[in-house]
Amino acid sequence: MWHRTTERNTQGHQRVARIGIAWLVLAIVVSVALTATACALLLPDREPAILSRPGEVTTVTVSTQQYSGSRQVSVTPVLSEAQQLTTTAVGTITEVMFTGGTLNSGTAIMRVDDNPVVALHTDVPLYRDLALDMTGADVQALNRELGRLGLFAQHGGDPESNRYTWTTQMAVQSLMVGAGIGDGYDGATLALRNVVWLPDQSDTVSNWQPRRGHSLAPGAVIGTIAGTLTRLDVAGIAASAQPRVLIVAGVTVTLPAEKTNIEDRKALDQVQASDQYRQQIGSATGSAASSPDGSSSGSGIQPLAATLSLDKPIEVLRVPAAAVFGLDGTTGCVASASKSIPVSVVGSELGVSLVTLDGGASNFPSTVDIGSAITGHQCK
């Protein structure tokens, strides 16, 4: 009996102990929760360290690179006024050897009354028959062109002479015999009826008129010469202190320093002689508008795609675009070590400005200032 009573008492005490521990744990949890709530309500907010703002960056390290300035540009050809091609030959056209397109100096183009007519360029237009011992600027121009065609080389003589010499006679004979004038021709006289004057060494001819069997009256128009290329205007660029290379119509020419156009005759002749230029421009020249100075551009002539780059690559400094201040056109300043440095902006790439300094790469700083570090700086 005593044992049962003792066991019941022991079990009762254990239950009371477990209940007490549970209430104690609950009290601790509630206390912690109330404390945390009070802290959250009463203590000031503090930003977690991971979200705190970093300090302002006011200096950045910069680098250099080689820069060629290569870019795609648009080039507009400016042409002289188109002109008519005429002949003094009179009679019946017995043969046609040229049918239109590019006409080169020294080319036989037709026969009139069975006599050949040759296209010939001279610096001075031919306006009279020329004969042995005659002198003049037109004779000198004839000698110069015969020399360029290689007809003086086989006979010697001076292609710059202003006299119709024996060498001129032999060169004229070679020219006309090559055109089929006949074995009896000695070259002592160059008759105007046997020559059609070309303004340039090579001209594009459209509206070609000669037809076999047709008759020619004095001064007959036989075709139209497209305007000669007199200038190439490069659009959307500024003049540069350094010469640049322009690749247009497959031809590489030089764009001079401080220029946005090309007027050099040799360069223009190279472009004009290219197949790409002839294909793109030749068909449009007939409808090109004339400018007050007699040149043509614009309405019938489409700009040419070209590539422009520096004549020689230069070393440039890469700086953040935001580091350049006081920008006026392509000139501005950067700051380094709190000092303003004048620069010229030559290009840009995705938020980076490419600049040069007076004195070249030897004066490039290793860092530049940005943000508030350039506030108040003057660019002079």
Side-chain angles (χ1 to χ4, degrees):
M1 184 71 174
W2 179 83
H3 289 291
R4 292 195 200 94
T5 304
T6 301
E7 184 178 350
R8 285 197 298 268
N9 289 340
T10 300
Q11 291 174 347
H13 285 305
Q14 290 175 343
R15 285 194 297 270
V16 170
R18 284 196 294 269
I19 293 171
I21 291 171
W23 278 106
L24 178 61
V25 171
L26 179 61
I28 292 172
V29 170
V30 170
S31 176
V32 170
L34 291 173
T35 300
T37 302
C39 288
L41 293 174
L42 298 176
L43 293 178
D45 289 339
R46 288 188 298 174
E47 193 175 56
I50 196 171
L51 298 179
S52 62
R53 295 181 181 179
E56 182 189 8
V57 175
T58 57
T59 303
V60 294
T61 301
V62 292
S63 60
T64 62
Q65 74 172 63
Q66 291 294 309
Y67 177 72
S68 67
S70 181
R71 56 181 290 197
Q72 297 298 309
V73 294
S74 179
V75 177
T76 301
V78 178
L79 310 179
S80 62
E81 189 176 10
Q83 63 185 88
Q84 293 179 327
L85 192 65
T86 63
T87 179
T88 61
V90 177
T92 300
I93 299 173
T94 53
E95 186 179 356
V96 176
M97 291 91 94
F98 175 78
T99 57
T102 301
L103 182 56
N104 297 316
S105 179
T107 301
I109 57 176
M110 62 181 174
R111 298 178 73 89
V112 178
D113 290 348
D114 209 30
N115 292 310
V117 178
V118 176
L120 193 65
H121 162 70
T122 52
D123 296 334
V124 177
L126 299 180
Y127 60 92
R128 58 177 176 165
D129 292 346
L130 298 176
L132 198 59
D133 290 331
M134 291 180 66
T135 60
D138 53 345
V139 177
Q140 185 178 40
L142 172 64
N143 284 334
R144 187 177 294 126
E145 180 63 8
L146 293 172
R148 189 190 70 83
L149 293 173
L151 299 174
F152 258 58
Q154 52 191 301
H155 304 293
D158 180 13
E160 293 298 321
S161 171
N162 69 346
R163 180 177 294 276
Y164 198 117
T165 64
W166 176 86
T167 305
T168 308
Q169 177 182 345
M170 293 297 99
V172 169
Q173 182 187 45
S174 297
L175 174 70
M176 298 305 299
V177 169
I181 197 170
D183 294 337
Y185 181 75
D186 63 4
T189 300
L190 178 62
L192 202 57
R193 66 177 180 273
N194 294 122
V195 176
V196 167
W197 180 72
L198 285 182
D200 297 285
Q201 297 169 3
S202 180
D203 283 306
T204 301
V205 180
S206 59
N207 301 320
W208 185 246
Q209 300 298 319
R211 298 292 184 272
R212 187 167 178 263
H214 287 191
S215 296
L216 291 176
V221 175
I222 59 175
T224 301
I225 299 176
T228 300
L229 183 62
T230 61
R231 194 174 73 240
L232 290 170
D233 291 338
V234 185
I237 67 168
S240 169
Q242 182 174 347
R244 288 172 282 184
V245 174
L246 184 72
I247 302 176
V248 56
V251 178
T252 301
V253 293
T254 298
L255 179 64
E258 308 299 342
K259 289 282 189 178
T260 60
N261 56 51
I262 294 177
E263 298 177 294
D264 178 69
R265 187 66 259 163
K266 184 177 180 180
L268 296 176
D269 287 343
Q270 289 178 319
V271 173
Q272 188 169 249
S274 71
D275 291 338
Q276 185 177 333
Y277 176 88
R278 290 172 178 173
Q279 292 170 3
Q280 186 164 341
I281 300 300
S283 60
T285 51
S287 58
S290 293
S291 302
D293 62 358
S295 62
S296 61
S297 62
S299 63
I301 301 174
Q302 295 300 315
L304 299 168
T307 301
L308 183 68
S309 59
L310 295 177
D311 182 44
K312 295 179 181 178
I314 58 175
E315 190 170 10
V316 297
L317 188 67
R318 295 173 57 89
V319 302
V324 183
F325 60 92
L327 197 60
D328 182 11
T330 59
T331 60
C333 289
V334 297
S336 181
S338 299
K339 295 181 179 179
S340 295
I341 304 172
V343 298
S344 295
V345 180
V346 297
S348 60
E349 297 176 358
L350 298 175
V352 173
S353 291
L354 307 177
V355 303
T356 60
L357 283 66
D358 290 341
S362 61
N363 288 345
F364 285 172
S366 59
T367 63
V368 295
D369 298 337
I370 59 173
S372 61
I374 63 176
T375 302
H377 276 278
Q378 298 295 319
C379 184
K380 297 180 180 179

